[in-house]
């Protein structure tokens, strides 16, 4: 399907695309986009974001939890705020649109209002969350959970792969580990996040935009398998307590369980072994599990079943298995009034509203504990994300910005 955009909307989309390109230069790894929470690249990106806010006459700052926050006042100072934004951290070797699109689109919405000198009946708060991906530290959604008043109790005491505590990295970044657990969004009437779909549904339907109805719940685990290291040549196969082969069987059990149930997805994205020598039987294996489903009960049942299977495997192979939950997020149903308002905004820019669920987790899940929340999806090529091939068109970028802007301007009537 083809839809018609105004030249003004296309020009705004082109500016946003150019800024996304510029923002992708802030990376921890030259030659590919990797921007981890509280890293030097994250700090440089936050400074650039704050600078762009200043150019538009908007004062921005880093809050105690490492988010960039800014406020565009309404007609009356202290009016309730519509908060819009997304995250600016990335996975390793990332695409440039995941998270960054929503954060920079939020800024573009306010830039448009400021350029017109227009004030609304409500304020607009912009947020660029610091930690959604959970790559550097085990927890995810740290920034949005902080604003929702649900800061993870153990977050600050976690260490990254180099042994750096989050509390020390947060302090060096410009946050405040002493107050981060106690901040909470104030007078926020609603939250909306624009985000690339990270899936193929919109492309299959020939639509540039979609409105999210619900977000899958997710559980992340760290699984430890402890066996006995031994000589690769001198230890008979029937006497081995091989942690790696036990872990491999457990990994396949995750895949088998997920394939057996509709809408359940399971991923093992990381595995390490020790001592990691070609001629030594692995004595220790560690791996991650990411399990997601739209139904919290069914996800819990799957987790219980996997735990039982893991212990059966461990017993048969003479190893020990333990698991630790590092992230738990219930499925989130987007606020019906926000969904309806976004659908009207999408229709207003000439696109038939398409309602769809999100398989990926988002900051919106956390913000839903603070206020009515919802999401706007923008089509991405092939549904590819968490990959440098991640791509959106200029036209779709412009559509997303136009719809987000329309929602922000019509917010009081939208909800």
């Amino acid at each position: 399907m083809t839809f018609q955009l105004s030249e003004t909307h296309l020009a705004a989309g082109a500016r946003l695309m150019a800024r996304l390109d510029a923002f992708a230069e802030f990376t921890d790894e030259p030659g590919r986009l990797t921007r981890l929470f509280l890293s030097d690249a994250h700090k440089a990106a936050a400074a650039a974001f704050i600078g762009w806010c200043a150019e538009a006459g908007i004062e921005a700052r880093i809050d105690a939890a490492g988010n960039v926050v800014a406020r565009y006042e309404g007609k009356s100072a202290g009016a309730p705020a519509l908060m819009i934004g997304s995250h600016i951290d990335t996975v390793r070797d990332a695409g440039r649109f995941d998270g960054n699109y929503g954060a920079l689109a939020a800024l573009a919405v306010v830039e448009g209002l400021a350029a017109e000198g227009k004030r609304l009946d409500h304020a607009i708060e912009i947020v660029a969350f610091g930690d959604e991906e959970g790559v550097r530290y085990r927890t995810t959604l740290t920034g949005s959970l902080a604003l929702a008043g649900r800061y993870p109790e153990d977050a600050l005491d976690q260490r990254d792969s180099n042994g750096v505590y989050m509390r020390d990295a947060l302090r060096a970044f410009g946050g405040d580990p002493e107050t981060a657990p106690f901040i909470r969004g104030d007078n926020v009437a609603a939250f909306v996040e624009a985000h690339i779909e990270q899936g193929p549904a919109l492309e299959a339907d020939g639509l540039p935009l979609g409105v999210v109805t619900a977000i899958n719940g997710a559980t992340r685990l760290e699984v430890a398998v402890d066996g006995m290291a031994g000589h690769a040549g001198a230890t008979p196969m029937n006497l081995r307590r091989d942690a790696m082969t036990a872990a491999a069987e457990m990994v396949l059990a995750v895949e088998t369980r997920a394939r057996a149930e509709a809408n359940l997805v399971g991923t093992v994205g990381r595995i390490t072994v020790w001592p990691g020598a070609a001629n030594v039987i692995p004595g220790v294996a560690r791996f991650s599990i990411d399990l997601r489903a739209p139904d919290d009960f069914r996800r819990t049942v799957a987790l219980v079943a996997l735990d039982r299977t893991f212990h059966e495997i461990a017993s048969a192979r003479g190893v020990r298995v333990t698991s630790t939950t590092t992230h738990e997020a219930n499925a989130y149903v987007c606020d019906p009034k926000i969904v309806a308002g976004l659908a009207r905004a999408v229709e207003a820019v000439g696109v038939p509203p398409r309602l769809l669920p999100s398989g990926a987790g988002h900051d919106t899940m956390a913000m839903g504990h603070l206020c009515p929340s919802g999401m706007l999806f923008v089509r991405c090529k092939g549904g590819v994300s968490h990959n440098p091939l991640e791509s959106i068109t200029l036209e779709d970028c412009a559509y997303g910005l136009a719809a987000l802007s329309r929602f922000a301007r019509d917010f009081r009537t939208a909800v």
Side-chain angles (χ1 to χ4, degrees):
M1 301 181 196
T2 57
F3 309 98
Q4 191 65 40
L5 276 169
S6 71
E7 290 300 320
T8 300
H9 287 149
L10 284 170
R15 288 193 295 273
L16 178 52
M17 287 289 274
R19 183 166 282 173
L20 283 159
D21 288 341
F23 209 55
E25 296 300 314
F26 298 110
T27 177
D28 297 313
E29 298 178 306
R32 63 181 189 172
L33 176 53
T34 298
R35 188 187 308 136
L36 304 186
F37 180 45
L38 305 178
S39 66
D40 290 342
H42 181 200
K43 190 169 187 176
F49 197 98
I50 290 170
W52 288 328
C53 287
E55 290 175 9
I58 312 159
E59 184 177 349
R61 61 182 175 84
I62 294 173
D63 73 9
N67 305 309
V68 179
V69 292
R71 181 179 172 94
Y72 183 75
E73 284 290 358
K75 294 175 182 176
S76 302
L82 167 66
M83 182 177 283
I84 52 178
S86 191
H87 62 97
I88 59 172
D89 66 320
T90 76
V91 297
R92 297 185 188 277
D93 198 17
R96 63 187 58 197
F97 301 103
D98 175 10
N100 297 304
Y101 175 83
L104 291 171
L107 174 55
V109 167
V110 173
E111 285 178 323
L113 290 168
E116 296 175 27
K118 185 176 181 63
R119 299 284 174 174
L120 305 173
D121 290 335
H122 55 280
I124 294 183
E125 293 189 357
I126 305 168
V127 60
F129 295 115
D131 176 39
E132 191 260 7
E133 299 291 2
V135 176
R136 182 175 180 184
Y137 297 99
R138 289 177 300 145
T139 55
T140 64
L141 307 176
T142 307
S144 49
L145 285 169
L147 286 180
R150 289 173 169 249
Y151 199 79
E153 292 182 5
D154 64 342
L156 294 170
D157 293 323
Q158 292 178 20
R159 289 189 290 181
D160 67 9
S161 59
N162 294 316
V164 178
Y165 283 99
M166 185 189 291
R167 66 174 64 254
D168 296 330
L170 182 58
R171 187 178 291 108
F173 184 80
D176 182 0
E178 304 308 317
T179 60
F182 309 109
I183 66 172
R184 181 181 170 88
D186 182 44
N187 203 17
V188 179
F191 171 77
V192 167
E193 180 177 14
H195 204 285
I196 61 169
E197 182 194 356
Q198 298 180 292
L202 292 176
E203 187 175 64
D205 289 346
L207 294 171
L209 303 176
V211 179
V212 177
T213 56
I215 304 171
N216 273 6
T219 301
R220 286 188 187 177
L221 304 171
E222 292 288 340
V223 181
V225 182
D226 295 290
M228 176 67 72
H231 196 288
T235 309
M237 297 300 292
N238 65 324
L239 297 179
R240 296 185 178 206
R241 296 168 56 200
D242 189 328
M244 179 59 190
T245 54
E249 190 173 348
M250 293 173 192
V251 170
L252 289 175
V254 174
E255 181 185 48
T256 299
R257 187 69 178 79
R259 284 177 178 264
E261 185 168 340
N263 298 319
L264 178 70
V265 292
T267 303
V268 174
R270 181 177 65 251
I271 187 164
T272 60
V273 296
W274 185 88
N279 62 344
V280 180
I281 300 164
V284 177
R286 303 282 188 268
F287 63 95
S288 64
I289 299 176
D290 184 306
L291 199 70
R292 307 186 190 212
D295 185 304
D296 291 329
F297 176 74
R298 293 175 72 180
R299 190 179 79 255
T300 300
V301 169
L303 286 166
V304 171
L306 283 172
D307 184 69
R308 182 171 58 249
T309 300
F310 288 176
H311 280 88
E312 290 171 353
I313 293 169
S315 177
R317 290 182 170 273
V319 300
R320 185 169 67 95
V321 62
T322 56
S323 63
T324 303
T325 300
T326 60
H327 171 70
E328 186 80 46
N330 289 338
Y332 175 71
V333 177
C334 295
D335 183 83
K337 292 183 178 180
I338 300 295
V339 171
L342 284 169
R344 286 193 291 270
V346 168
E347 193 168 26
V349 300
V351 178
R354 166 72 156 90
L355 305 184
L356 74 168
S358 171
H362 298 284
D363 287 299
T364 299
M365 303 170 75
M367 293 301 292
H369 293 291
L370 175 71
C371 61
S373 299
M375 290 192 75
L376 175 70
F377 267 172
V378 177
R379 171 174 56 188
C380 59
K381 185 176 180 181
V384 174
S385 185
H386 285 188
N387 186 307
L389 296 177
E390 190 176 271
S391 176
I392 65 173
T393 66
L394 166 60
E395 290 77 14
D396 288 1
C397 175
Y399 270 118
L401 177 56
L404 183 63
S405 181
R406 174 58 68 96
F407 179 88
R409 291 168 183 249
D410 294 347
F411 171 62
R412 284 196 177 280
T413 57
V415 299

